Amino acid sequence: MTQRPYVLLSVAASIDGYIDDNTDERLLLSNDEDFDRVDEVRAGVDAILVGANTIRRDNPRLLVRSDDRRKRRVDAGQPESPIKVTISAGGDFDPASKFFSAGDVDKVVYVPTSAVGTATAAVGAVSNVVGTGEKVDLGFVLDDLGRRGVRRLMIEGGGTIHTQFLAAGLADEIHLVVAPFFVGDSTAPRFVGEATFPQSPANRMHLAEVKQIGDVVLLRYLPGHADDA
């Protein structure tokens, strides 16, 4: 059987759990030192996944920034940056967005079979569009990425994607960076939405690492390992 990739979920949130606010400007939840840490993590994975709403809202490039890290990947026989992956229910994308236009790396788009035509018309020339059946099944996505040689998958959001992977018990590791402020807007995007999570009071996650990075703190959790401490 094809081995599914190891799934690393990466997120920065305010103390009250928000990953953005409702202004037009990007909310900076981290600092330069932590951005460099994230770049190092990106350089060590085979693929990065974000949801369609994150592409529309944040327009991320999802590329390794460091010249040295890109060179090390190339020297190891890898592309300069990991494969870019996204999931969409409707397949309505802008091919000019940086997800599709930035970087000479493969892009994979997973959509329900009913949305394959829409997605292909929009971004079929610049990505691999994959139909997953009646709806996007995360197990199918992981199996397909495994067949594509992806051994480590980094998930960078947004809240809907985080919720789906965590509620399905498909995250192997969480990197949660906590910013030293509050957002305080109940309509702003949160780290996760409502769901039934296997990571419950009766099944506590294992806290593997705590690290101060300037004025933020990194909490590294292993969801699949109950904390027996």
Side-chain angles (χ1 to χ4, degrees):
M1 294 178 62
T2 301
Q3 181 180 354
R4 287 181 174 179
Y6 184 91
V7 177
L8 188 158
L9 192 155
S10 176
V11 62
S14 63
I15 290 176
D16 50 346
Y18 292 93
I19 58 175
D20 204 350
D21 56 23
N22 278 322
T23 67
D24 292 333
E25 296 183 3
R26 179 188 176 194
L27 178 64
L28 293 179
L29 289 150
S30 192
N31 55 43
D32 288 343
E33 185 179 356
D34 186 58
F35 286 138
D36 187 65
R37 178 196 64 81
V38 172
D39 193 60
E40 183 176 7
V41 177
R42 281 182 179 177
V45 302
D46 303 301
I48 301 172
L49 186 152
V50 295
N53 286 335
T54 296
I55 294 174
R56 299 184 188 104
R57 186 182 183 103
D58 297 339
N59 197 23
R61 297 172 70 244
L62 301 179
L63 301 175
V64 176
R65 299 180 180 183
S66 163
D67 291 339
D68 288 342
R69 291 173 186 139
R70 290 199 303 269
K71 183 178 184 302
R72 286 202 298 269
R73 285 180 60 89
V74 172
D75 289 346
Q78 301 172 303
E80 286 190 344
S81 291
I83 297 168
K84 300 182 191 181
V85 182
T86 189
I87 294 171
S88 172
D92 183 17
F93 291 102
D94 179 359
S97 64
K98 293 176 183 177
F99 178 95
F100 297 103
S101 63
D104 185 19
V105 298
D106 289 340
K107 295 95 179 177
V108 186
V109 176
Y110 292 99
V111 295
T113 301
S114 60
V116 167
T118 300
T120 300
V123 294
V126 291
S127 67
N128 299 304
V129 176
V130 181
T132 63
E134 184 178 351
K135 62 180 182 179
V136 176
D137 179 87
L138 299 183
F140 177 98
V141 170
L142 293 180
D143 288 338
D144 188 68
L145 289 174
R147 287 190 291 268
R148 295 172 186 270
V150 174
R151 295 294 173 260
R152 289 182 65 85
L153 171 66
M154 183 178 184
I155 299 177
E156 294 199 31
T160 299
I161 297 296
H162 291 152
T163 301
Q164 291 174 344
F165 271 88
L166 287 168
L170 294 175
D172 297 295
E173 185 173 342
I174 301 172
H175 290 187
L176 170 61
V177 168
V178 181
F181 57 79
F182 300 90
V183 171
D185 182 352
S186 63
T187 65
R190 298 184 69 93
F191 170 23
V192 294
E194 292 185 6
T196 300
F197 297 99
Q199 307 83 18
S200 67
N203 184 35
R204 298 162 71 98
M205 296 185 293
H206 173 66
L207 179 60
E209 181 183 5
V210 178
K211 182 179 181 180
Q212 180 179 348
I213 306 174
D215 63 349
V216 304
V217 62
L218 167 68
L219 306 173
R220 189 167 66 87
Y221 286 103
L222 303 178
H225 299 77
D227 191 349
D228 298 325

